[in-house]
Amino acid sequence: MIAQLLPHALIVIVAIGAYVLAARQLDRTIRAFAAQSYVLAFVAVIAAPQSEHPRHLWVLAGLTVAIKGVAVPLALLGAVERLRIGHEIEFIVNIPSSLLMAAIGCLGAFGVADQLGGEVEALHGALGAGLATVLLGLLVMLGRRKVITQIVGLLIMENGVILCALGLTLGMPLIVEIGVALDVLVAVQILALFAYRIGSGLDGGGREEPPP
C-alpha cells in the first residue's frame, strides 16, 4: 500500500536536507529544495485519507508542488542568473562540522519527538522528521554566506514546520495553508529583488570610469 512508503518518504526529506548542507554548488541546493517539496507533497497525499478534511491536504500538496516545487526554485535560479552569482557556495561553517552538528541535532530531534509526540502524534514519524528538517534548514541559514543559500535554508525550515503540522494535526486549516504558501512566494520575490538591487548597486559603485 502507498501508506507503507511514508517512512521512506520521511527519510528522503531529512536526507535531502543533509544533502543541501553538504552541497558545494548553489544550483544543486535549489533543485534539492524543489525535490524535497515534491516529497513533502507526497507525504500530504499519504496523510489525506487519515485526515478529517482530506481536501485540505490535497490542496496543500498541490500548492507545495506548484509554488515550492516550481515557482520558487525558478525565481531563485533566475535571481542567480541575473546577479551572475558564482555557483560555488561560501561556507561560514565547513561541511564536516556542519554534518556533525546535523547528526547530533537530528538524533536529538527524533528523541524529543518520541517524548512529546508519543500520545498526540497523528502521523507516525512526521514530527521527528519535521523537527530534524527545521534544524537542517537552520544550519544552512547560519552556516552559509550567500543570501540565496540562506533563503533556501529558510524555505527548508518552512518545509519542516509543515511536516511537524502534518505529524501533530494532519495539517493546518486551509486558509492558513494558502496564506503560508502565498507568504513564501511573496517573501522569495522580495528577497530576490532585494538581492538584485544590492548586486546592481555594488556593480555600479565598483565600476571605474574609463580614462579620458
Side-chain angles (χ1 to χ4, degrees):
M1 294 178 62
I2 191 172
Q4 296 176 349
L5 297 175
L6 175 62
H8 304 286
L10 296 176
I11 291 172
V12 170
I13 289 176
V14 177
I16 290 175
Y19 170 80
V20 171
L21 196 60
R24 296 180 181 274
Q25 299 293 321
L26 184 56
D27 57 337
R28 291 181 182 178
T29 66
I30 297 173
R31 293 186 175 92
F33 160 71
Q36 186 186 64
S37 299
Y38 293 140
V39 182
L40 178 61
F42 178 69
V43 171
V45 170
I46 293 176
Q50 305 177 41
S51 175
E52 296 181 359
H53 305 285
R55 291 183 180 179
H56 290 188
L57 295 187
W58 282 102
V59 172
L60 172 62
L63 287 173
T64 300
V65 170
I67 295 178
K68 303 177 74 175
V70 178
V72 170
L74 288 177
L76 292 176
L77 289 171
V80 171
E81 293 300 324
R82 288 195 305 270
L83 293 170
R84 298 179 181 177
I85 298 174
H87 288 276
E88 289 289 333
I89 293 177
E90 299 176 5
F91 297 93
I92 298 175
V93 181
N94 61 33
I95 292 177
S97 298
S98 297
L99 291 177
L100 177 61
M101 289 187 289
I104 296 173
C106 287
L107 289 175
F110 281 102
V112 170
D114 286 339
Q115 295 294 325
L116 298 180
E119 299 180 356
V120 298
E121 194 172 14
L123 195 64
H124 182 68
L127 178 59
L131 291 175
T133 303
V134 170
L135 175 67
L136 290 169
L138 180 63
L139 289 174
V140 172
M141 280 189 65
L142 298 180
R144 306 297 178 264
R145 293 186 185 277
K146 292 181 179 178
V147 175
I148 298 293
T149 315
Q150 293 171 353
I151 293 173
V152 172
L154 177 63
L155 292 169
I156 290 174
M157 289 181 65
E158 206 263 341
N159 276 353
V161 170
I162 292 177
L163 192 55
C164 288
L166 287 172
L168 289 173
T169 65
L170 288 177
M172 299 172 284
L174 180 59
I175 187 64
V176 177
E177 294 167 2
I178 295 174
V180 168
L182 292 178
D183 285 346
V184 168
L185 181 60
V186 171
V188 169
Q189 292 290 348
I190 291 174
L191 289 172
L193 178 60
F194 182 63
Y196 176 72
R197 295 294 187 185
I198 292 176
S200 299
L202 291 176
D203 289 341
R207 187 180 296 114
E208 296 182 359
E209 294 294 332

